Amino acid sequence: MDSRRLNPHGAIELFVSGRVCLLGEHSDWAGGFRKSNPEIPCGHTIVVGTSSEGLYGRARKHKSKLLLTSTNEAGEKFGPYELPMEPAALLAEAKKGGFWSYAAGVAYHMAVNFDVQGLELDNYRTTLPMSKGLSSSAALCVLVARAFSAVYDLKLSTRGEMEYAYQGEILTPSKCGRMDQACAYGPQPVVLTYDGDQLEVEKLVVGEELFMVVADLNAAKDTVIILRELQAGYPFPSDDVQRGVHKLLGQVNVDITARSIAAIAAGDLCALGALMKEAQAEFDRYGGAACPAQLTAPVLHKVLAHP
């Protein structure tokens, strides 16, 4: 769908989807450690947007403020929330954390990098589930970057929207990786390559239409603990478990993503499904050893084992 257009009331209509990581989870931050240890292979993730599930917004100029309104998936409205369009105020709000911090972080970078005034942004409809691993916070950051670009005719590319969204989000306590902002590409599947601070994005050739089912298993995990345990051996591993995580997010991931890209291009859905199962088995083996308390995933494996 068209992600930006002018409505009859003079506001610009916008849409940003969520994103699903098909393969390569966690290799984004692992590839980032190449800055300190060049022997770590580049990270690779295959990502696709969530089609019509996302954030819908209307944006227009404001002469001096960042004026935000949001609506959650249940239809509840929040705001308006006002901030002066001043770098110091925007930065303080971003670092404070909380829902509005994401928009403030992106607005801060817009204020210091472009000749812009304020922005009125109404996220009037949300069809993307929050806190379900679909990058809802990154979608909000991309929405704000896209809104500034559209309203002030900044002509940001999709990569540009991703970059300002990422820089805005890492001002908050969230500290996301670089993968999440790929939601900016919408339903176009992409492969992202992470080499230290360098990010490359390549659009994938799709040989046959893919239909993905995204299910909520109603289970729980602690991402903070998972990241702490998986990252314990970076940039340099000190035992066999940590070396296993390096292997998982390094050469194993490089091999599986390369074969998956070929399967997607050939339209070989059976091969792609088999590669996803292979990737999960490798993650169970190496990732599970590093963080058994969080990565045993009994609910997931019960579903996968269902005939």
Side-chain angles (χ1 to χ4, degrees), residues 251-274:
Q251 282 308 128
V252 168
N253 184 62
V254 169
D255 174 57
I256 291 177
T257 53
R259 287 187 283 143
S260 298
I261 291 168
I264 291 171
D268 191 341
L269 306 186
C270 290
L272 180 61

Side-chain angles (χ1 to χ4, degrees), residues 142-294:
V142 171
L143 181 67
V144 175
R146 185 164 290 174
F148 272 104
S149 181
V151 167
Y152 288 98
D153 195 26
L154 302 180
K155 295 182 170 59
L156 290 180
S157 65
T158 305
R159 282 289 304 276
E161 292 174 346
M162 284 181 63
E163 183 63 25
Y164 284 105
Y166 170 72
Q167 295 298 334
E169 186 159 357
I170 62 173
L171 286 179
T172 77
S174 171
K175 308 304 181 189
C176 66
R178 279 187 173 271
M179 174 178 65
D180 294 349
Q181 292 74 28
C183 61
Y185 281 89
Q188 167 64 56
V190 293
V191 58
L192 290 85
T193 299
Y194 313 89
D195 183 357
D197 288 330
Q198 183 69 24
L199 171 68
E200 297 295 334
V201 182
E202 180 183 353
K203 296 180 180 179
L204 291 183
V205 174
V206 181
E208 186 172 321
E209 201 168 11
L210 302 175
F211 295 92
M212 309 297 296
V213 177
V214 180
D216 184 354
L217 299 181
N218 291 311
K221 64 178 181 179
D222 191 322
T223 304
V224 173
I225 293 176
I226 293 171
L227 290 174
R228 183 186 69 207
E229 298 300 317
L230 293 181
Q231 292 177 356
Y234 281 82
F236 299 100
S238 59
D239 59 35
D240 287 343
V241 170
Q242 293 177 357
R243 281 186 282 273
V245 175
H246 273 246
K247 180 178 180 180
L248 169 69
L249 302 181
Q251 282 308 128
V252 168
N253 184 62
V254 169
D255 174 57
I256 291 177
T257 53
R259 287 187 283 143
S260 298
I261 291 168
I264 291 171
D268 191 341
L269 306 186
C270 290
L272 180 61
L275 284 162
M276 288 181 169
K277 291 178 69 175
E278 181 182 341
Q280 183 61 50
E282 297 284 12
F283 193 80
D284 292 341
R285 178 183 178 185
Y286 294 111
C291 188
Q294 293 294 321

Side-chain angles (χ1 to χ4, degrees), residues 49-103:
T50 53
S51 187
S52 60
E53 292 79 19
L55 308 182
Y56 296 76
R58 297 187 182 106
R60 67 179 81 232
K61 291 182 181 178
H62 193 282
K63 62 182 180 180
S64 62
K65 294 179 180 179
L66 180 65
L67 184 61
L68 303 166
T69 307
S70 185
T71 306
N72 66 15
E73 195 184 8
E76 300 172 291
K77 286 194 172 292
F78 301 90
Y81 192 79
E82 294 185 15
L83 285 168
M85 195 64 188
E86 299 169 0
L90 295 169
L91 182 60
E93 181 69 25
K95 290 186 176 297
K96 186 171 70 175
F99 179 77
W100 306 109
S101 68
Y102 299 101

